[in-house]
Amino acid sequence: MDQANKNNDWKKLSLAEREKALLEDLNTFADWKERYSYIIDMGTDLAPLADEFKRDEFKVKGCVSQVWLVAKKENETLIFSADSDSLFVKGLAGLLVKLFSGKSPTEIAEHPTNILMESGLIQNLSPNRTNGAASMFAKFKELAKIFT
């Protein structure tokens, strides 16, 4: 299957289906080192964020690393863009961008679970990274509520 078809199939999945698929991907790795590598790769898949968005108003508060998150509404769905000065944190942002982009603000705001908790990632991070990851997840939810 070519990349365009994979992307269209991904867009059609519900948030619960997307989360399940991402969790299954993470669980294919035998150890956390491999999972971290997979997450870092997700960050490299993000398109570069324009410098105009690397300002305080787009910054995720509560992260030790610099993280910027931008949302725009397109055809009743939100499209997210993100960047970070940390490869791993950018990967976490990439994971959340992949999960939430293309879904409605209401779907995102009401989605009941946190993939970072469900995957065990939060439990395997340093306290600073845990706080930052929680702040990032909360920012996605906050932006969704703003657009509802």
Side-chain angles (χ1 to χ4, degrees), residues 40-91:
I40 289 169
D41 288 346
M42 294 198 88
T44 61
D45 290 344
L46 289 176
L49 191 62
D51 286 341
E52 68 186 90
F53 296 114
K54 292 184 179 178
R55 299 190 318 249
D56 280 348
E57 65 195 86
F58 299 106
K59 229 179 193 182
V60 177
K61 309 292 187 258
C63 292
V64 173
S65 301
Q66 305 262 357
V67 184
W68 300 273
L69 179 61
V70 178
K72 67 178 179 177
K73 197 167 187 181
E74 236 177 58
N75 301 323
E76 302 306 314
T77 66
L78 290 182
I79 305 301
F80 292 97
S81 302
D83 203 350
S84 176
D85 62 354
S86 161
L87 289 175
F88 182 74
V89 174
K90 186 174 181 174

Side-chain angles (χ1 to χ4, degrees), residues 1 4-14 18:
M1 182 182 300
N5 284 337
K6 284 182 185 176
N7 287 340
N8 283 334
D9 289 345
W10 186 257
K11 289 177 185 177
K12 294 176 186 176
L13 295 178
S14 70
R18 286 181 178 190

Side-chain angles (χ1 to χ4, degrees), residues 131-144:
N131 291 337
S135 295
M136 197 180 339
F137 186 84
K139 187 68 175 178
F140 276 85
K141 294 287 202 161
E142 176 188 324
L143 288 169

